[in-house]
Amino acid sequence: MSDRVTITIEAGIADVKMNRPDKRNALDPAMFTALAEAGEQLKTEPGVRVVVLSGEGKSFCAGLDMASMQAIAGNDDSEGRSTGNAGDMAEGRITHLAQQVCWVWQEVPVPVIAAVHGHALGGGIQIALGADIRIVHPDTKMSVREIYWGLVPDMTGTFQLGKLVRPDIAKELTFTARVFPGSEAFDLGLATRLSDDPYADAMTMAREIAGVSPGAVRGAKELINNMAAEGAAEQFAAERRLIRAQVGTQNQVEAVTASFENRAPVFTD
């Protein structure tokens, strides 16, 4: 695993940190790979009873790396399609890499608590939604940001969002791509709990969970997930199909170009 993600295990708690603080933990190819590898490792890591997922520095995760966005504006497929083609489909898996960095936390058999602060934008909010529990600072800037860039949410976000909020709310957040605070996320049901120190409170909760019967906790997560995961494979396939239909189109490139040129986009019907 690269240094993009660090894992420290102590007293049954796996402390997982996205480790690119100078870029607000933005998602580049190395971060995608490291997150997925971290989740895979923790599926079978001995002695782990709970996971805390957080970001080093001032933000949880600011979404896709801007270098990838600039590549889209320059019509560079190798970088510009980082979210649409991030990894091949492994045999027997219902996700590709960009989706797996979110979904892997549901596959980890123990509870995963996301400690969210600073920014959780685009892919960042989708990673947070992949956790079982979200402890969020009230001032965190959050957004289902993809449509701003001419894309659709493609990292399991539509599936997870639709499980947590009403369809009209999911549509409003997605269609507008607006930035909203963590306090509103709690009101909407996207945040489990608000905290002025999400990481400290996540660790406190983790210690509480680590202190109860590990078999019972694993069993409870499996039972709840059996109900919650219905339809996931079909939705993830639709995400992959629809993101491919948008990436590199004239309107999608225009959305990115206009943002970098600080002007209003001009779209064609």
Side-chain angles (χ1 to χ4, degrees):
M1 187 187 306
S2 77
D3 61 2
R4 283 285 193 269
V5 175
T6 64
I7 301 176
T8 303
I9 300 172
E10 184 176 350
I13 301 171
D15 187 2
V16 180
K17 292 182 181 293
M18 290 176 276
N19 188 35
R20 201 185 181 202
D22 57 317
K23 299 293 185 180
R24 296 186 297 173
N25 298 311
L27 298 164
D28 64 352
M31 182 71 86
F32 278 117
T33 300
L35 279 167
E37 289 179 350
E40 289 299 320
Q41 175 184 331
L42 293 172
K43 288 181 184 180
T44 57
E45 187 73 30
V48 172
R49 297 185 176 187
V50 61
V51 176
V52 173
L53 176 63
S54 65
E56 286 280 12
K58 296 181 178 181
S59 290
F60 178 76
C61 176
L64 190 64
D65 183 87
M66 285 298 102
S68 296
M69 287 301 179
Q70 288 172 328
I72 292 175
N75 202 25
D76 179 349
D77 287 349
S78 64
E79 286 291 329
R81 301 194 178 201
S82 292
T83 55
N85 295 333
D88 296 329
M89 293 286 292
E91 185 176 354
R93 189 176 297 289
I94 65 172
T95 58
H96 64 9
L97 179 58
Q99 295 169 326
Q100 187 63 7
V101 302
C102 305
W103 191 244
V104 72
W105 308 110
Q106 290 298 302
E107 295 177 338
V108 169
V110 301
V112 178
I113 306 167
V116 184
H117 73 292
H119 299 81
L121 307 174
I125 196 172
Q126 294 185 82
I127 291 170
L129 294 178
D132 299 300
I133 295 167
R134 285 159 295 283
I135 300 179
V136 180
H137 192 284
D139 295 334
T140 303
K141 294 180 179 179
M142 308 180 77
S143 177
V144 185
R145 197 65 174 160
E146 283 75 13
I147 279 182
Y148 176 83
W149 299 109
L151 301 168
V152 298
D154 67 319
M155 293 170 60
T156 77
T158 55
F159 181 79
Q160 302 285 33
L161 190 65
K163 295 287 185 179
L164 294 169
V165 301
R166 297 190 326 243
D168 61 321
I169 293 173
K171 291 174 182 178
E172 185 266 329
L173 294 177
T174 304
F175 297 165
T176 66
R178 68 182 178 87
V179 178
F180 57 94
S183 55
E184 184 178 352
F186 178 76
D187 292 338
L188 294 173
L190 295 177
T192 311
R193 183 182 296 179
L194 293 178
S195 169
D196 289 332
D197 193 338
Y199 177 75
D201 284 347
M203 291 300 289
T204 297
M205 183 183 290
R207 286 189 288 271
E208 181 179 353
I209 293 172
V212 298
S213 172
V217 171
R218 285 171 176 251
K221 177 170 177 173
E222 181 177 346
L223 287 170
I224 296 169
N225 279 5
N226 283 344
M227 296 183 294
E230 183 178 355
E234 294 80 5
Q235 184 70 5
F236 299 163
E239 282 188 354
R240 294 190 296 274
R241 173 176 58 83
L242 291 168
I243 190 76
R244 292 188 191 108
Q246 295 301 317
V247 173
T249 63
Q250 179 180 339
N251 280 342
Q252 196 270 315
V253 172
E254 170 65 8
V256 177
T257 303
S259 179
F260 280 105
E261 294 178 356
N262 196 28
R263 61 173 172 81
V266 180
F267 298 120
T268 59
D269 292 325

